Amino acid sequence: MKNYVITIARGFGSGGKDIATRLGEALGIPCYERQILTMASDQSGIDESVFVETDEKLRGKHLANFLRRMPVSGVVEPMEKDFISDVNVFNIQADIIRTLANTESCIIVGKCADDILRSYSNVISVYIEAPRAACVKSIMEKMHVSEKRANYLIHTTDKYRAKYYSYYTSGKDWTNPTNYDLVLNSDRIGREKCVQLIQEYIKIRFSGEPVSE
């Protein structure tokens, strides 16, 4: 095996991005989240603000059509009217995620990466969650907001992430543990031990298979 990829889905406030960053440092491989938006903008020529606006969320018109319309496959050409549609923006990012999985060892946070790469044998998918109280505490400390505001942010962020995931995975439940290789409660054992557990799982999963960075 020439390379491996860790995808990390996460509840808001669970510390998933922090765990991903620490894991990347421990493994000596890059961690991609916001960087994918920049890469997609550079590749397509579409302003980065469009990718930010649709980052793990659906725009209004898609909410109305949620159950009726499913995404097309493949990236459309710049001259086509759907070039900056939500679906095309998603597909541009999906192409980048597949290219990364084919070419280098890395960590990818969110963006339905686990489902995009579901057929890849060199991918480990992880879901990070924590009890609401722990998530609220984390958001309050990180963002310097009230408990009420933290609860609101968690509710709204997890809601739009779940709808985004369902839309682009043909109705799958974002929090279903069967979607993932490993599901961790970051509050139960702490973020650093989550990193250690993922490292151990990598060794077990790819035992006997040489991997490179």
Side-chain angles (χ1 to χ4, degrees), residues 49-57 59 86 89 93 164:
S49 64
V50 175
F51 291 95
V52 172
E53 186 181 356
T54 58
D55 186 23
E56 295 189 82
K57 63 175 77 75
R59 290 188 278 195
D86 287 37
V89 165
Q93 293 177 82
Y164 178 92

